[in-house]
Amino acid sequence: MPFYPVGGALQSAAMALVHHAGTDDVTTDQITPLAPNATAHMERWSPNVRAMLLQMEFLQGFNTSTNAASRPKKGKPTSKPVKVTLSWQGAEFGYLYPASADTLAAQLPIVRAYADQRGDRTGEVLSQLDYFTDFYLTALGIPAGRAAHLIELILVTQLLSGLCSMPAKHMLACRRPDELDSRIMSLIPSPSHGSLPSGHGTQAVAIATVLNTLLTHAGLETADMRNRQRLVLAQSHRIAVNRTVAGVHYPMDNWAGAVIGRAVGEIIVAMGIGTTRTLPVLQADPNAPNSQAADFALADLKLLFDNPDAKPLVGVQEVPARGGKGAVQAVDLGGQSDLFAWLWGKALEDIQHVTGRS
């Protein structure tokens, strides 16, 4: 029996009707070729095709590497600390380090304590297993029915930042909390990949970066919009922390995710508006004195966004510039992208339309 992907009913109707279209061949004057490689075709393609195009373009510039051997020799431990290096178009913007046994032991009591919040947050945890667009639309006060491209931008940001967290998860190979402490029984099935960095933390911080910049570029400099920017960041923080409440992540995982997510978000912004964004180079070393027993607090995350020069940062560390004297390394991220500019412009129209600014 033949298989029709769109259903036998549609096929039978087409077979019955096709003779009404006549028997004449299509002539060349009836054919209008599409212009090759035109950005305007983004309007023609489906959202999933657009997502694939954006993904392929983005991943050409993003790289994750490590000094750890993929096949370490037995009896010959490396003399250098394991480090994961994150870079965009060859420019290094962040460094991640594996957690020591002492650090994991210091993080486990924090994870156990978060279980007390499961009564209030279980619904959120279960709703945020995959996508969490609706949580941001609620913070923005924008109905989903009038924000198709804004939703698409959020989903693309979540897709790209999630992908960018995976190589680091593999390289750092950190055990989940419930593997190390029998008292931590996870609220959800424990994911089958490494804990550090948190994929949800990476995605949430990337989305906050993109949305809050989009609101600024929409020209909505009002007290209400500034409040909504605070809500977006607070929502991102809550999404990340919910994974610790569920027992599948340490707080340190979210700090490592914040390093990746902030940069990915800024790169998407830069590609959307056609400029570069300058960021301080950060590292997430969970074994550092300010990180080993650190929680992932909203106040500290706000400092990372609003005042990265504040001393000391909690959970992450600024990388000193060569030559010292208190300077911090900085890197320019981004570049021009017609495809990202198209989606950015459409999402901007969604926000301006809903808020009456277009």
Side-chain angles (χ1 to χ4, degrees), residues 106-318:
Q107 289 275 299
L108 286 169
I110 307 176
V111 179
R112 290 200 306 270
Y114 267 109
D116 291 344
Q117 299 186 34
R118 291 183 182 181
D120 295 329
R121 297 196 185 208
T122 294
E124 294 174 48
V125 170
L126 297 178
S127 298
Q128 294 164 359
L129 289 176
D130 296 311
Y131 300 104
F132 24 84
T133 307
D134 289 341
F135 290 87
Y136 289 103
L137 295 181
T138 299
L140 293 172
I142 295 178
R146 288 181 282 164
H149 290 103
L150 175 61
I151 292 172
E152 189 174 338
L153 179 61
I154 295 172
L155 291 174
V156 166
T157 301
Q158 184 173 354
L159 168 67
L160 294 177
S161 52
L163 286 172
C164 290
S165 71
M166 279 298 167
K169 284 177 174 285
H170 168 70
M171 294 171 183
L172 294 172
C174 182
R175 295 182 186 275
R176 296 276 175 174
D178 61 349
E179 291 185 72
L180 301 178
D181 191 333
S182 59
R183 294 166 293 181
I184 299 174
M185 300 184 69
S186 60
L187 180 62
I188 57 177
S190 196
S192 58
H193 47 260
S195 182
L196 177 68
S198 166
H200 276 61
T202 302
Q203 293 169 324
V205 171
I207 291 171
T209 303
V210 168
L211 288 182
N212 283 348
T213 308
L214 190 70
L215 286 171
T216 299
H217 279 254
L220 305 173
E221 291 299 321
T222 65
D224 180 67
M225 283 300 108
R226 287 191 290 273
N227 286 338
R228 294 191 185 279
Q229 288 176 318
R230 296 186 186 100
L231 287 174
V232 166
L233 185 58
Q235 184 64 267
S236 289
H237 173 263
R238 190 171 178 89
I239 289 170
V241 170
N242 280 344
R243 302 294 283 181
T244 305
V245 173
V248 296
H249 275 293
Y250 311 92
M252 68 176 187
D253 299 342
N254 286 321
W255 280 117
V259 171
I260 304 175
R262 177 93 191 279
V264 169
E266 291 288 1
I267 293 167
I268 291 173
V269 168
M271 296 176 78
I273 63 179
T275 63
T276 57
R277 310 278 287 183
T278 301
L279 282 181
V281 177
L282 298 175
Q283 66 181 23
D285 181 358
N287 311 308
N290 69 333
S291 301
Q292 197 168 60
D295 200 349
F296 184 67
L298 177 58
D300 296 321
L301 183 61
K302 286 179 179 178
L303 284 180
L304 184 61
F305 273 79
D306 300 335
N307 187 16
D309 293 327
K311 300 293 189 301
L313 287 171
V314 173
V316 296
Q317 306 83 36
E318 293 175 325

Side-chain angles (χ1 to χ4, degrees), residues 6-26:
V6 292
L10 185 60
Q11 176 67 11
S12 63
M15 298 277 293
L17 296 174
V18 69
H19 69 278
H20 291 292
T23 59
D24 295 338
D25 290 335
V26 175

Side-chain angles (χ1 to χ4, degrees), residues 62-67 81-88 90-99 168 171-172 196-197 252-261 263 279-288 291 315-322 328-331 333:
F62 194 94
N63 186 61
T64 308
S65 61
T66 182
N67 60 350
V82 173
K83 178 172 71 173
V84 170
T85 300
L86 308 162
S87 62
W88 173 255
E92 297 177 2
F93 67 80
Y95 307 99
L96 309 178
Y97 296 86
M171 294 171 183
L172 294 172
L196 177 68
M252 68 176 187
D253 299 342
N254 286 321
W255 280 117
V259 171
I260 304 175
L279 282 181
V281 177
L282 298 175
Q283 66 181 23
D285 181 358
N287 311 308
S291 301
V316 296
Q317 306 83 36
E318 293 175 325
V319 178
R322 293 178 177 83
V328 175
Q329 281 190 41
V331 63
L333 302 177

